[in-house]
Amino acid sequence: MTHAFARLQTANYGDLTAAQQDRFDALMREADTAGTGTAYNAAMVDAALVAGLPVPASKDIARCSCYTDAGGCGCDLIFDSHQDGVVVTAVNDPGFNLSQLQCPTCGHDHPRPIAD
């Protein structure tokens, strides 16, 4: 008997065309301000599809916070935000949905977790 391991699906923001990046950014802003429920899920599903990702079961994706954080490595990975090893670098602001997250690789190699 062999065991097949599920390959985690990711994309790189820098590999998207300018139009795809603009649409992805707009959808992530929409998800951030959508509240919860149908509008949030629809924005996340559409953002995943724009990035070329299969929609994760969590319906939550993120771009690594290292892309824009001062002192970050510039990682632009788009990933399922419910993977093991994801590190929260900043919680969401009141009235918003999305926290800042490091991908599992960056979270392992150079974690910058939120300070308590």
Side-chain angles (χ1 to χ4, degrees):
M1 174 185 214
T2 61
H3 296 278
F5 293 95
R7 183 174 161 260
L8 295 176
Q9 299 292 321
T10 61
N12 290 89
Y13 182 79
D15 291 342
L16 304 179
T17 67
Q20 288 172 313
Q21 288 178 357
D22 289 345
R23 183 69 180 138
F24 179 84
D25 293 342
L27 288 163
M28 293 302 282
R29 284 191 302 274
E30 190 177 314
D32 199 21
T33 60
T36 58
T38 305
Y40 175 82
N41 286 337
M44 279 290 175
V45 166
D46 288 347
L49 295 174
V50 166
L53 295 174
V55 178
S58 68
K59 293 192 176 113
D60 284 314
I61 62 171
R63 183 181 61 197
C64 187
S65 64
C66 286
Y67 184 69
T68 56
D69 284 352
C73 68
C75 176
D76 67 350
L77 196 69
I78 301 168
F79 57 94
D80 178 351
S81 61
H82 289 258
Q83 293 179 48
D84 289 338
V86 169
V87 173
V88 178
T89 60
V91 295
N92 57 306
D93 291 328
F96 293 89
N97 294 320
L98 303 180
S99 297
Q100 297 296 309
L101 307 173
Q102 279 183 301
C103 71
T105 300
C106 291
H108 176 268
D109 292 350
H110 52 270
R112 294 184 325 272
I114 57 174
D116 290 332

